[in-house]
Amino acid sequence: MDTAYAPSPPRGSHVPVGLRAPFSGRTWREFLYLLLSLPIACVMFSYAIAVISLGAGLLITFLGIPVLAGGLAGCRALGILERGRARALLGLEVAEPEPVRAAKPGLMGWIGAVLKSGVSWRHLLYSFFHFPWALFSFVLATTFWSVGWCLLSYPLWRWTFPTYFGRPGIQMWGDGDGHGFYLDTPTEIGGISAVGLLLVLAGPWLIRGLTQVDRLMVHGLLGPSRLAGRVSELESSRGSVVDTAAADLARIERELHDGAQARLVALAMDLGLAKEKLAKDPDAAARMVDEAHGEVKLALRELRDLARGIHPAILTDRGLGPALSALAARCPVPVTVTVDLDRRPAAAVEGIAYFTVSELLANASRHARATSATVDVWRAADRIMLQVTDTGRGGATTEAGGGLAGLAERLGSMDGLLVVRSPDGGPTSISAELPWRSR
C-alpha cells in the first residue's frame, strides 16, 4: 500500500495550516527531496545513456547482451536507492518489485530473465524521464522558495546596499545613466515584504505539487506492476480461503465429536442396557427408552443446527431474504431485516453474505449486549451491500485477533470489503461489500 507522510498538527494548535506549512517538517523534507533529485537524476541519466550506448554498440558482438543485462541490473539497484529516499523524505511506502526469477540456472538464464523483466525496463525509463523533471522542479522550487524568503526578510538586510554597494536598495529598473527605481522607502519595503510573504506561504503547496509528480513516478515505474500486485492479492486471498476452509472443517469435526457423536454413543449404551433389563425389569427399561428418546431428539437438533451452520436449506431453496428472516427469528435480540434484491446472486456470494450477517448478529447478541439490531441488504451497481446496525456497547474492531478480523479476510478473499464504525458506547454500524455475480 502507498501512503504519503502527513504529520498531524499538535493538539490544541490554533495556527491555520497555511501559516504553519512553511515551518513544518514535511515541507522541508520535500524541499530537500527536490534538492537531492537533481544530482541523483544526473547520475542515473548519465548511467542510463552509457548503458544503452554501450550495450547497443556491442550488440554486433555477443558482449552487448550481457552488458545490457548488467546495466539493467544496475538500474534496479539505483531504484532501491530512490525508493529508500522517497520513503525517508516523502513518507511514500512502495513495495519492492518482484525479483528476477531465472527460468534456467546459470548466467545465461539470469541474463534472459533480466532482459525479459518489465521491472528492469521500467527502472531504465525512470532514469530517462526523471532527469528533465528533476531539473525543472529543482530550478522552480529553489528559485521560488529562495526569492520568497529573501523578499520577506528584505527589511533585515536592506542596509547592505547603501553600506557596501552605494545604492539605496534593490533596483527594479535603470537606464544606465544612474537613473532608476529603487525599493528604499518604508512603503516600498513593506510592499516587497508582503509579496515575499505570499511567496513563502505559497511555497509549501508548490513544493507539495512538485513532489506529487515524483510520488507518481516512483510508484508507477519503481514499484511492482499492477498485474504483480493483483497476483500477490490473489495468492493472499487463496491462503485466506484455505485457512478458513481448514478452520471450518476443524469446527465441524469438533462439534460432531463433542456433540452429536457423544450423544449417539450414550444413546447406544442406554439402549443396550434397556435391552438387558427388558425381560427382568420392564419399567426400568421403559424409563431408559424414554431417556434415549430424549437423547435422540437432542442429537437430531444438534445435527440440524450443524447442517444449518454449514449451509442452511432455506438459503438454497428460497434465497437470501427468507434465510436472513429465519436467522433473525432465531437471534436472541429483536432484528429487523430489509432485503431489496431484484434477483438472486450467485450461490457463493449468497452464502458468504448469509454467513457475514450471521456472524455479525452473533457478535451483537453475545459480545455487544445489544437490545436490538437491523439488517439491510441491497444491490448497488455491481456490488451487493450489507449493513448490520446494533444498539450494543460498541468497541468492535477488525484488528488481528478479533472475530471481525477473520470475517474481513474472508470477505477480502472474494474482493469484498468490511467497514466498521463502532465508537465506545455504541451504536455499532458494520457495512460489507461483495461483488455481484448473478446465477
Side-chain angles (χ1 to χ4, degrees), residues 43-173:
V43 173
M44 296 184 68
F45 182 78
S46 302
Y47 176 81
I49 290 294
V51 165
I52 293 297
S53 301
L54 184 60
L58 293 176
L59 280 179
I60 58 175
T61 68
F62 180 75
L63 293 177
I65 296 177
V67 167
L68 186 58
L72 292 176
C75 289
R76 293 179 67 116
L78 292 173
I80 296 176
L81 170 65
E82 282 295 271
R83 285 191 297 273
R85 189 167 67 96
R87 186 181 304 112
L89 297 179
L90 300 182
L92 180 65
E93 294 292 339
V94 179
E96 295 294 324
E98 58 272 19
V100 176
R101 293 188 175 92
K104 298 179 181 179
L107 178 61
M108 296 306 299
W110 178 83
I111 291 175
V114 171
L115 294 176
K116 293 178 182 178
S117 172
V119 174
S120 303
W121 293 102
R122 283 192 283 112
H123 279 64
L124 181 65
L125 288 177
Y126 178 85
S127 300
F128 282 119
F129 293 153
H130 187 236
F131 173 71
W133 173 252
L135 177 60
F136 171 79
S137 58
F138 175 88
V139 173
L140 180 59
T142 303
T143 303
F144 194 95
W145 197 234
S146 59
V147 168
W149 283 104
C150 288
L151 295 182
L152 177 61
S153 60
Y154 179 58
L156 302 178
W157 53 273
R158 190 194 67 85
W159 61 271
T160 59
F161 284 96
T163 303
Y164 297 105
F165 301 104
R167 58 182 63 185
I170 297 178
Q171 185 181 33
M172 301 302 294
W173 65 272

Side-chain angles (χ1 to χ4, degrees), residues 292-427:
H293 184 252
E295 290 292 330
V296 169
K297 290 183 177 179
L298 291 175
L300 287 175
R301 184 183 304 169
E302 290 182 356
L303 288 174
R304 191 182 301 113
D305 292 340
L306 181 61
R308 187 183 295 116
I310 297 173
H311 195 85
I314 189 174
L315 180 63
T316 302
D317 298 337
R318 300 179 58 190
L320 190 59
L324 292 181
S325 298
L327 178 65
R330 297 191 303 271
C331 187
V333 301
V335 180
T336 302
V337 177
T338 303
V339 178
D340 183 15
L341 298 176
D342 55 352
R343 60 181 182 274
R344 294 180 62 177
V349 176
E350 199 172 54
I352 196 170
Y354 174 85
F355 288 111
T356 298
V357 175
S358 176
E359 181 71 20
L360 294 178
L361 289 180
N363 287 341
S365 59
R366 296 174 187 172
H367 307 297
R369 300 176 184 174
T371 57
S372 64
T374 60
V375 176
D376 295 289
V377 181
W378 70 97
R379 179 183 177 185
D382 59 345
R383 310 287 284 181
I384 179 171
M385 314 293 293
L386 315 172
Q387 187 174 46
V388 178
T389 305
D390 65 70
T391 58
R393 58 184 179 179
T397 178
T398 56
E399 293 181 357
L404 294 182
L407 184 60
E409 290 181 357
R410 180 176 293 191
L411 290 171
S413 67
M414 292 189 64
D415 288 336
L417 179 65
L418 187 72
V419 179
V420 178
R421 293 179 293 275
S422 181
D424 291 335

Side-chain angles (χ1 to χ4, degrees), residues 207-227:
I207 293 173
R208 194 165 301 178
L210 294 174
T211 54
Q212 188 62 32
V213 178
D214 285 279
R215 288 186 174 93
L216 295 175
M217 294 181 65
V218 172
H219 178 265
L221 295 177
L222 300 185
S225 64
R226 183 174 301 178
L227 177 61

Side-chain angles (χ1 to χ4, degrees), residues 227-314:
L227 177 61
R230 182 58 179 163
V231 170
S232 178
E233 290 179 2
L234 292 176
E235 290 177 348
S236 177
S237 299
R238 181 182 62 184
S240 299
V241 170
V242 172
D243 293 341
T244 301
D248 289 340
L249 289 175
R251 176 182 59 82
I252 294 171
E253 189 276 335
R254 183 173 59 253
E255 292 181 359
L256 284 173
H257 182 272
D258 298 340
Q261 180 179 342
R263 291 191 182 278
L264 291 175
V265 171
L267 173 63
M269 295 176 63
D270 290 342
L271 289 177
L273 293 175
K275 182 179 179 181
E276 293 177 0
K277 291 181 177 291
L278 184 60
K280 298 179 181 179
D281 191 353
D283 294 336
R287 288 193 300 270
M288 297 182 70
V289 170
D290 288 338
E291 293 176 358
H293 184 252
E295 290 292 330
V296 169
K297 290 183 177 179
L298 291 175
L300 287 175
R301 184 183 304 169
E302 290 182 356
L303 288 174
R304 191 182 301 113
D305 292 340
L306 181 61
R308 187 183 295 116
I310 297 173
H311 195 85
I314 189 174

